[in-house]
Amino acid sequence: MAFNGHQCDDESIDEDETPTKQPRSNKEMPGCFINEPKNEAAASAGRATSDRRTSNSTARQRSDSVKKTRPPFPWFGMDIGGTLVKLVYFEPKDITAEEEQEEVENLKSIRRYLTSNTAYGKTGIRDVHLELQDLTLCGRTGNLHFIRFPTHDLPAFLQMGRNKHFSSLHTTLCATGGGAYKFEADFRTMADLQLHKLDELDCLIRGVLYIDSVVSSGPSECYYFENPTDPDRCIQRPYTLENPYPLLLVNIGSGVSILAVYSESNYKRVTGTSLGGGTFLGLCCLLTGCSTFEEALEMASQGESTRVDKLVRDIYGGDYERFGLPGWAVASSFGNMMSKDKRESVSKEDLARATLVTITNNIGSITRMCALNENIERVVFVGNFLRVNTLSMKLLAYAMDYWSKGQLKALFLQHEGYFGAVGALLELLHPS
Amino acid sequence: MAEFVRVDSSTSGHTMDKSITLPPDEIFRNLENAKRFAIDIGGSLTKLAYYSTVQHKVAKVRSFDHTTKEATGDNLYEISVQEEVTARLHFIKFENAYIETCLDFVKDHLVNTETKVIKATGGGAHKFKELIERKLGLKVDKEDEMTCLIKGCNFVLRNIPHEAFVYAKHADSEFRFQTTQPDIFPYLLVNIGSGVSIVKVESEDKFERIGGSSIGGGTFWGLGALLTKTKRFDELLQLASKGQHTSVDMLVKDIYGGSYGSLGLTGDLIASSFGKSATADKEFSKEDMAKSLLHMISNDIGQLACLYAKLHNLSRVYFGGFFIRGHPVTMHTITYSINFFTKGEVQALFLRHEGYLGAIGAFLKGAEEDNPNQYSWGENYAGSSGLMSVSPDMNPMQRARSGTFDMLEMDRLEGKLVNLPLLQDASSYIPDTVDLTEDAHAREYWLYCFEEALDGVVKRAVASQPDMPEAAERAEKFRQKYRHKLQTLRHQPFAYGSLTVRSLLDTREHCLNEFNFPDPYSKIKQRENDMALKYYQKAVKCLDELSWEERQYALVRGVLAGNVFDWGAKAVSDVLESDPEFGFEQAKRQLEERPWLVDSYDQWFERLKGPPHKCAMFFVDNSGVDIILGVMPFVRELLSRGTEVVLASNSGPALNDVTNGELQILTESIAAMDPVIQAGLREDRLTLVQSGSSSPCLDLSRLDKVLAMVVRERKTDLVIIEGMGRAIHTNYYAMLRCESLKMAVIKNSWLADRLGGKLFSVVFKYEVPAPSQHSAALTPS
């Protein structure tokens, strides 16, 4: 406990205090209605003094035993998925001069490296707009940073950890996701790091509930689309997840997991599908020659899926009234591509769009069936497939609303892909 | 979505040679009398349906009027061959490329002028409307595709035994046929056309599209064509069957390094379809991409189907549509997916005549005034092609299906066929004792056996029609047809559902009928009946002289000895042919001594000491000695005990089995000699009913409605089944709710060997249902 000079300070909690709104980017979120002027530099600089304490949820989690077991810095949570590694890092901002002195050089260097950059190497990115400032965690106040990089660059990350002598800090690295298992040996041999492996769904749920609770009074972590079936009036609105249970949690990463959550500890994985974000990107790469998610999405935003898909009206000239199918509904995804002429007339953008629509709608219909089978009316969609992907979010919102005749509500969360990593961090601080 | 879309530019049909010559008698048969046309035009195949009346010869027996015609010799009755008109449904499937040729042919041969309209369905109906109207001069009347599909599905499920099957790629027999359920509803039909439609069917007229998916056959085809530059659907499937999806898909083990244990997800499970292709700098093979796509789509459809089945609490899920249509590759992946998602609780079911459903439904729509659903229909094995395997790796010859005409013919049966009300569990009843589809060794033997017997059958057929000079020619055609069927079955034992001795026998009867040999054994039966009748009184007298105890045993031995006389069994027909004097007494000597191979005579004897049965239903076997000297004295004893007797015999001829028509005459003439039988008839304590069948075997789930009614009315409490065909090849394991007696002599050494006995071993199986089940049925709790 050498680096752990401070104990949790329960007395400092003021539950009535309203946390400040934290800045978010609206640059990457075209559908967002968060209009605060944003300055990235200001965001990353943070504030020296905190007026932000904690929320009721953190208070609930805190206990005396936690004080004693507060782990040494640095505090990381990691989620190693099939495509992306998600890393959350808690940067303490309440470091005293005494602490500063005691802080070993390695720790300082890591902190500086992570907080003074927004990009790491060629592919690592810090999602500055998601940063949570003045957060009190385990009695310490600081900022929570959200960082991601492709799983295939994990070796480079491990190399960096080795170069920065990460292992000398004797920290526990809490990690979840399949990669925590797959790369456990690599962490040990390449970086001399021992992973504490955690179940990804446990972490996911813990993360979702935590993040939602800590930002519940600011611009809502959770939001939905009002008038989802009317493109002109469809706007993003905050949503309060006060009594979240039961809820269906749909995590769209490379693949998709669908969980029915009845309480923080009571959940089940209902089903999953292999048609997920990985499928979208994989097919787009094959069909268009693109190589990144951003490229694929950019193309999709410019394409027209109706040239690729066969719609009900393409077959019936209008609605298929016998079965209540509207003419605009897709009868056969990629159905027009059975014809050679049409294959030759579509653009890459059209194909990207059709791929996006196909994958998204399919997730929508499986989700809807699960919601019916489980008798749950609220669905929360998370996962990095939704990152900067308003197209899919609006499609999901539309599909849930239209096909359920307004019974189902699609909800989204600002920190869409990071909940597993947050859950892993929480496990470090409050072992369950 | 159902088969809404068919894309014509992708089918190679238009480049094909259209100037084929059709073998007219063999494809569009009976066009002279055809009416009620219907057509279902899909993306590549056309299905034409029509109704015809078939004139065919039937053998009728008629009693001589003994008061006026004393000089008719020894014969008790005369046999006449009459023309009978029966209804038949024809369904022909061919490639769209031949549509014009076919329409021309139909036009040229269509004599009937009553027909004014043709019912049409399918995506191509619109496109070919003008052509059909011009060629046939009929008005095209479009019917909703889904309605036709469901109507057709109900029809085949109800009328064709072994219509539905489970597909198991690696099992001994890939196709596991399901027994026809007493109630086919409710079920889920998942039609995978270019999109997917999921339809819940609750009754004949009530169905609802409860869901669907846009990811279907069109997605496989369209996306597959984009990814692999392969245009044809079949070729895409072929590519897929050769590929490795693991190079394209991201598996659980690619993410976890192994399995995801806490969730029970194995490492080989696909976590993300195409997850590994998310890179710009790697090439993937066409085969691998096609395979990955196939898995992605099949799994997705399977998952949705399971979610819908669960939501609506349905366990019977049938899959159809062009994506399935007999393709082992897709049947396998869909089956796999259903097993995975329901952990085996739901089985994916497929249909033998899936491709015909639309045409059948459209036809039924047009034939409503004939009320086809009030009858039972049976698949005519002679005129139907049977299920072909289209597996790319199983039989490469069959890949070349162009120019192939696939046919289904169904005959209208006498009345509606129903279950024997006394079956313990109608839904699990399987008539056949050995499934030759699953038992390769047995299959080989029986196919060989039937082929061996063919010469004899041909000879007999010719001999049965001495006045007809062209009989030899027809018999030769019969030989070719039946031999061809046997050959087909050797390669595709699943062609007509489960292959059984019964289906081999029935197929032979159908083929004989096809070439107008309605009853090759009529003369033999006549001669033997006449001969046996002469001994009746003597036989009865001998029995009457025995003590009660001795008589019971002698009666059983009499039935068994009589059953030795059987032209259906090769071992016996050889003896009968060489030694016509083979007598009843000699037969008794041939019988195995007790203890028999299966011997519950002691229990039966004990039972006889108890109160008489209320009513016995006796399913009889052969004519001649069997029925007259074996069965009748036994019946006589039952009547004397105070038991009512119902004799159930075949509606139509099969081998030397006694038919209902013959039995009526025989019974009357026995009644003339025997006051017990006479009283029985007069007092209505002895009744004759027809079984509804023309088979040497017996399917207790397809019996004449009147028989079932009689069983109920008379409170039948004993069922007697006699003969190898009815009590061993079929029904050996049949469980009844009342006492039953199965009696047969094994006249086939292979079968005897199988059952652990020898030639002429005796099966005497007396069964009493377990008391617990019995009382449970009687006492409501």
Side-chain angles (χ1 to χ4, degrees):
Chain A
M1 304 288 272
F3 314 109
N4 201 8
H6 292 250
Q7 302 286 314
C8 282
D9 187 359
D10 282 350
E11 281 71 37
S12 69
I13 298 165
D14 181 353
E15 295 193 17
D16 292 325
E17 195 166 294
T18 311
T20 51
K21 295 175 174 184
Q22 80 270 23
R24 288 200 221 261
S25 160
N26 58 358
K27 227 166 33 189
E28 286 188 36
M29 301 279 254
C32 269
F33 262 68
I34 298 158
N35 292 319
E36 289 144 299
K38 181 200 156 278
N39 179 322
E40 240 178 83
S44 52
R47 269 151 255 179
T49 49
S50 164
D51 55 359
R52 176 190 179 79
R53 299 290 196 227
T54 183
S55 78
N56 36 12
S57 165
T58 358
R60 193 179 61 221
Q61 289 169 2
R62 198 172 297 169
S63 71
D64 286 348
S65 66
V66 169
K67 280 188 207 172
K68 295 185 191 85
T69 57
R70 187 162 66 190
F73 288 124
W75 293 352
F76 281 112
M78 201 172 195
D79 176 4
I80 312 170
T83 311
L84 285 176
V85 177
K86 283 76 66 177
L87 188 70
V88 294
Y89 167 65
F90 181 78
E91 172 206 5
K93 301 294 282 187
D94 54 357
I95 299 176
T96 58
E98 187 189 349
E99 260 184 306
E100 180 101 34
Q101 258 183 346
E102 277 180 27
E103 193 177 30
V104 292
E105 207 45 48
N106 286 341
L107 183 57
K108 214 169 279 174
S109 129
I110 287 168
R111 179 158 55 93
R112 288 205 187 111
Y113 175 69
L114 290 176
T115 55
S116 59
N117 292 300
T118 57
Y120 315 94
K122 280 191 188 128
T123 54
I125 285 165
R126 182 153 61 88
D127 283 311
V128 179
H129 66 285
L130 294 178
E131 181 178 332
L132 292 177
Q133 295 186 342
D134 305 324
L135 194 68
T136 303
L137 253 180
C138 220
R140 299 299 302 256
T141 305
N143 299 341
L144 199 56
H145 298 278
F146 298 87
I147 298 161
R148 60 185 152 88
F149 59 89
T151 305
H152 61 74
D153 286 333
L154 191 68
F157 173 82
L158 292 176
Q159 192 57 47
M160 185 196 79
R162 189 193 184 107
N163 296 343
K164 293 191 182 297
H165 302 288
F166 201 92
S167 62
S168 67
L169 298 171
H170 305 290
T171 187
T172 310
L173 191 48
C174 280
T176 185
Y181 297 80
K182 187 181 178 185
F183 300 109
E184 189 184 13
D186 294 340
F187 271 85
R188 206 169 43 238
T189 56
M190 290 175 70
D192 192 25
L193 282 169
Q194 194 65 42
L195 286 188
H196 180 43
K197 304 190 296 292
L198 299 162
D199 181 80
E200 64 173 290
L201 300 182
D202 289 341
C203 288
L204 173 69
I205 287 168
R206 212 169 161 186
V208 166
L209 296 173
Y210 173 77
I211 294 290
D212 179 63
S213 67
V214 294
V215 294
S216 61
S217 319
S220 185
E221 170 69 13
C222 184
Y223 58 95
Y224 71 102
F225 290 90
E226 196 176 74
N227 307 316
T229 53
D230 181 352
D232 297 331
R233 297 194 302 134
C234 175
I235 44 169
Q236 187 176 326
R237 291 276 190 212
Y239 186 86
T240 321
L241 256 188
E242 259 172 343
N243 295 303
Y245 310 114
L247 70 84
L248 209 60
L249 184 59
V250 181
N251 186 30
I252 318 174
S254 315
V256 182
S257 272
I258 301 180
L259 317 178
V261 188
Y262 302 99
S263 75
E264 182 171 349
S265 56
N266 180 14
Y267 74 87
K268 64 175 179 184
R269 183 179 188 270
V270 180
T271 188
T273 166
S274 69
L275 284 83
T279 315
F280 164 64
L281 184 54
L283 281 174
C284 274
C285 290
L286 293 172
L287 293 171
T288 70
C290 72
S291 57
T292 67
F293 182 65
E294 288 75 7
E295 259 182 278
L297 273 187
E298 177 57 26
M299 273 199 273
S301 70
Q302 289 162 22
E304 187 58 69
S305 64
T306 53
R307 284 199 276 265
V308 179
D309 294 339
K310 189 150 281 201
L311 307 186
V312 169
R313 67 162 179 257
D314 294 335
I315 303 158
Y316 289 94
D319 299 348
Y320 188 12
E321 281 162 21
R322 175 84 176 73
F323 293 120
L325 290 173
W328 52 259
V330 184
S332 173
S333 297
F334 287 83
N336 279 341
M337 298 298 92
M338 290 188 279
S339 139
K340 187 166 174 285
D341 297 345
K342 288 183 176 160
R343 279 200 295 277
E344 283 161 2
S345 73
V346 292
S347 67
K348 289 181 171 184
E349 286 76 14
D350 295 337
L351 293 172
R353 179 64 164 248
T355 310
L356 188 78
V357 169
T358 301
I359 299 297
T360 306
N361 278 338
N362 189 59
I363 293 168
S365 63
I366 292 174
T367 301
R368 203 169 55 80
M369 289 309 298
C370 290
L372 280 171
N373 271 324
E374 301 301 322
N375 201 18
I376 295 177
E377 289 180 356
R378 255 178 315 193
V379 184
V380 179
F381 291 95
V382 296
N384 269 322
F385 173 65
L386 299 177
R387 194 174 62 78
V388 297
N389 187 358
T390 316
L391 270 176
S392 287
M393 287 192 278
K394 286 189 171 177
L395 265 174
L396 286 169
Y398 187 115
M400 289 302 109
D401 187 84
Y402 183 88
W403 295 108
S404 74
K405 299 189 174 70
Q407 286 294 296
L408 281 172
K409 201 170 197 76
L411 303 170
F412 305 92
L413 299 173
Q414 303 284 6
H415 289 83
E416 56 245 334
Y418 283 107
F419 299 107
V422 170
L425 172 68
L426 294 172
E427 182 63 28
L428 171 75
L429 305 177
H430 312 281
S432 53
Chain B
M1 273 334 98
E3 308 171 55
F4 293 160
V5 216
R6 258 74 184 269
V7 174
D8 304 289
S9 55
S10 305
T11 61
S12 59
H14 298 285
T15 58
M16 258 176 220
D17 179 18
K18 296 173 193 175
S19 59
I20 49 146
T21 22
L22 301 172
D25 323 337
E26 283 161 36
I27 295 166
F28 298 100
R29 309 199 313 154
N30 303 315
L31 271 176
E32 338 43 275
N33 309 309
K35 57 176 184 173
R36 310 219 181 284
F37 282 83
I39 195 163
D40 174 12
I41 308 176
S44 51
L45 294 173
T46 296
K47 283 77 70 173
L48 185 71
Y50 57 92
Y51 171 102
S52 79
T53 45
V54 187
Q55 282 214 328
H56 66 123
K57 302 219 166 14
V58 286
K60 292 273 181 195
V61 292
R62 199 180 59 178
S63 236
F64 285 114
D65 188 347
H66 290 278
T67 53
T68 55
K69 276 191 178 176
E70 283 300 320
T72 46
D74 290 337
N75 289 350
L76 173 69
Y77 59 85
E78 64 176 344
I79 307 160
S80 60
V81 172
Q82 294 171 13
E83 291 282 332
E84 196 180 68
V85 176
T86 57
R88 182 173 287 177
L89 308 184
H90 301 257
F91 304 96
I92 301 108
K93 185 160 73 181
F94 50 88
E95 290 189 17
N96 287 356
Y98 303 119
I99 194 161
E100 213 166 326
T101 319
C102 291
L103 291 176
D104 282 336
F105 183 88
V106 170
K107 179 68 193 163
D108 292 346
H109 291 78
L110 192 61
V111 184
N112 191 304
T113 50
E114 285 170 45
T115 304
K116 297 272 188 292
V117 293
I118 178 167
K119 290 283 180 188
T121 188
H126 180 71
K127 192 184 162 200
F128 290 99
K129 180 174 187 278
E130 195 267 336
L131 182 76
I132 299 166
E133 294 194 333
R134 181 160 47 84
K135 291 278 179 190
L136 294 183
L138 300 176
K139 189 179 159 296
V140 169
D141 194 359
K142 274 211 77 174
E143 287 292 336
D144 175 69
E145 196 166 342
M146 193 62 69
T147 310
C148 292
L149 204 63
I150 303 297
K151 262 194 169 318
C153 191
N154 293 340
F155 187 80
V156 295
L157 284 176
R158 210 180 302 104
N159 287 288
I160 305 187
H162 295 171
E163 174 61 32
F165 61 88
V166 167
Y167 184 79
K169 189 183 177 186
H170 301 294
D172 289 342
S173 62
E174 289 170 282
F175 301 83
R176 238 172 291 134
F177 294 96
Q178 309 290 298
T179 50
T180 308
Q181 295 294 307
D183 189 5
I184 60 171
F185 304 110
Y187 66 85
L188 208 59
L189 180 67
V190 181
N191 194 56
I192 315 173
S194 44
V196 181
S197 273
I198 300 177
V199 185
K200 176 185 177 183
V201 186
E202 286 177 279
S203 71
E204 187 58 49
D205 301 307
K206 194 174 172 210
F207 68 89
E208 185 192 355
R209 185 187 188 276
I210 54 172
S213 167
S214 67
I215 299 186
T219 314
F220 178 71
W221 194 344
L223 198 43
L226 287 169
L227 291 172
T228 68
K229 314 277 181 274
T230 303
K231 289 176 206 151
R232 284 178 54 103
F233 179 72
D234 283 20
E235 288 168 22
L236 277 168
L237 278 183
Q238 225 167 338
L239 279 183
S241 66
K242 290 184 229 147
Q244 284 291 330
H245 75 102
T246 51
S247 61
V248 183
D249 289 343
M250 186 183 281
L251 309 184
V252 167
K253 70 180 171 202
D254 293 322
I255 300 176
Y256 272 81
S259 65
Y260 183 179
S262 63
L263 284 183
L265 303 178
T266 63
D268 288 326
L269 216 64
I270 304 170
S272 174
S273 296
F274 287 90
K276 281 186 194 155
S277 68
T279 164
D281 42 54
K282 226 176 125 191
E283 288 287 312
F284 297 90
S285 82
K286 291 178 175 186
E287 288 82 1
D288 292 354
M289 288 188 290
K291 177 74 160 210
S292 175
L293 187 62
L294 175 69
H295 275 303
M296 175 179 107
I297 289 167
S298 300
N299 286 340
D300 193 54
I301 294 170
Q303 178 171 27
L304 275 171
C306 293
L307 287 166
Y308 278 102
K310 187 179 170 200
L311 187 64
H312 293 264
N313 200 19
L314 297 168
S315 57
R316 270 177 283 184
V317 185
Y318 299 99
F319 287 85
F322 82 73
F323 185 68
I324 297 292
R325 204 137 301 163
H327 297 294
V329 184
T330 53
M331 288 196 288
H332 174 64
T333 51
I334 287 286
T335 300
Y336 178 88
S337 170
I338 295 292
N339 283 342
F340 174 79
F341 284 109
T342 68
K343 298 180 180 72
E345 278 173 36
V346 172
Q347 282 191 317
L349 296 166
F350 304 97
L351 300 170
R352 267 201 300 141
H353 298 100
E354 190 277 321
Y356 286 109
L357 302 187
I360 294 173
F363 167 80
L364 292 172
K365 282 292 267 184
E368 266 158 4
E369 63 191 72
D370 290 336
N371 207 354
N373 271 332
Q374 77 179 354
Y375 300 98
S376 282
W377 299 78
E379 180 178 11
N380 187 310
Y381 296 140
S384 302
S385 314
L387 183 68
M388 292 292 157
S389 169
V390 289
S391 165
D393 28 61
M394 220 171 75
N395 196 345
M397 289 304 290
Q398 281 156 5
R399 295 304 306 164
R401 270 164 70 95
S402 66
T404 309
F405 285 73
D406 193 271
M407 287 171 294
L408 165 65
E409 290 186 6
M410 298 192 67
D411 289 329
R412 195 174 76 193
L413 307 177
E414 291 288 321
K416 213 165 174 103
L417 300 182
V418 296
N419 278 312
L420 179 71
L422 292 167
L423 281 177
Q424 208 167 74
D425 178 15
S427 61
S428 68
Y429 167 74
I430 297 168
D432 306 284
T433 306
V434 180
D435 184 346
L436 302 180
T437 349
E438 287 182 9
D439 188 336
H441 188 65
R443 177 167 75 237
E444 204 167 303
Y445 169 77
W446 285 108
L447 285 169
Y448 166 80
C449 193
F450 276 88
E451 192 142 2
E452 277 288 292
L454 193 49
D455 280 343
V457 177
V458 169
K459 219 169 86 188
R460 184 134 335 280
V462 178
S464 72
Q465 298 180 351
D467 318 330
M468 299 188 192
E470 35 40 90
E473 197 186 315
R474 273 188 286 119
E476 200 47 48
K477 281 186 182 163
F478 154 75
R479 185 212 298 275
Q480 278 167 21
K481 181 121 198 172
Y482 189 57
R483 178 169 288 158
H484 179 74
K485 291 279 167 196
L486 291 174
Q487 272 157 5
T488 305
L489 288 166
R490 209 178 285 276
H491 298 294
Q492 280 152 203
F494 46 79
Y496 300 96
S498 287
L499 183 67
T500 60
V501 174
R502 176 168 62 106
S503 72
L504 285 168
L505 284 164
D506 289 353
T507 306
R508 191 166 70 187
E509 296 299 327
H510 290 178
C511 290
L512 280 166
N513 280 327
E514 199 55 45
F515 295 100
N516 275 323
F517 293 107
D519 193 359
Y521 286 86
S522 55
K523 293 246 160 40
I524 292 177
K525 287 189 288 183
Q526 183 189 39
R527 199 169 63 231
E528 287 176 355
N529 284 335
D530 286 338
M531 199 137 62
L533 273 176
K534 292 184 187 137
Y535 293 99
Y536 178 76
Q537 276 170 306
K538 190 180 163 203
V540 168
K541 187 162 173 282
C542 289
L543 287 163
D544 281 346
E545 283 163 4
L546 298 173
S547 69
W548 182 84
E549 238 168 76
E550 288 170 328
R551 190 165 68 246
Q552 302 315 311
Y553 183 56
L555 284 167
V556 167
R557 274 180 61 85
V559 171
L560 294 167
N563 197 243
V564 171
F565 290 79
D566 187 353
W567 288 87
K570 192 172 180 302
V572 182
S573 59
D574 289 348
V575 179
L576 287 173
E577 209 129 352
S578 59
D579 178 14
E581 293 305 312
F582 186 75
F584 190 40
E585 291 308 315
Q586 196 184 338
K588 282 185 193 162
R589 282 195 295 277
Q590 289 268 11
L591 278 187
E592 179 189 29
E593 284 305 315
R594 287 194 65 200
W596 294 318
L597 180 60
V598 176
D599 191 341
S600 36
Y601 177 77
D602 291 342
Q603 289 93 310
W604 169 247
F605 181 68
E606 281 309 306
R607 172 63 186 86
L608 287 178
K609 291 179 188 164
H613 295 91
K614 168 80 182 60
C615 173
M617 167 74 63
F618 202 136
F619 288 95
V620 300
D621 189 6
N622 306 308
S623 53
V625 174
D626 189 344
I627 183 76
I628 294 165
L629 301 182
V631 174
M632 278 302 184
F634 193 94
V635 168
R636 187 176 186 271
E637 182 76 12
L638 285 172
L639 289 170
S640 308
R641 276 171 62 79
T643 301
E644 291 175 33
V645 179
V646 183
L647 291 176
S649 54
N650 268 6
S651 304
L655 295 171
N656 62 326
D657 291 3
V658 65
T659 63
N660 188 248
E662 290 158 353
L663 189 55
Q664 273 174 7
I665 297 168
L666 295 181
T667 312
E668 274 164 31
S669 54
I670 290 172
M673 310 183 254
D674 184 340
V676 180
I677 300 291
Q678 191 172 44
L681 285 176
R682 195 180 53 236
E683 291 156 19
D684 198 29
R685 293 194 303 111
L686 174 61
T687 330
L688 307 186
V689 293
Q690 51 178 322
S691 65
S693 156
S694 303
S695 165
C697 295
L698 180 64
D699 180 351
L700 295 177
S701 66
R702 280 168 79 82
L703 294 173
D704 191 86
K705 213 163 69 180
V706 175
L707 185 152
M709 198 185 71
V710 169
V711 163
R712 275 199 206 89
E713 279 178 359
R714 307 219 162 186
K715 299 189 171 51
T716 301
D717 54 354
L718 174 65
V719 172
I720 303 171
I721 306 175
E722 184 213 2
M724 202 160 74
R726 291 175 183 76
I728 295 181
H729 286 317
T730 54
N731 300 310
Y732 190 68
Y733 299 115
M735 302 286 280
L736 299 181
R737 279 208 308 257
C738 66
E739 291 172 51
S740 65
L741 198 50
K742 294 165 190 168
M743 289 188 276
V745 178
I746 305 171
K747 292 154 285 189
N748 172 293
S749 52
W750 183 90
L751 187 63
D753 201 45
R754 260 267 162 134
L755 295 171
K758 51 190 194 303
L759 200 60
F760 299 115
S761 276
V762 167
V763 169
F764 186 90
K765 202 175 182 191
Y766 168 63
E767 288 165 307
V768 182
S772 60
Q773 287 157 321
H774 202 66
S775 61
L778 289 177
T779 49
S781 51

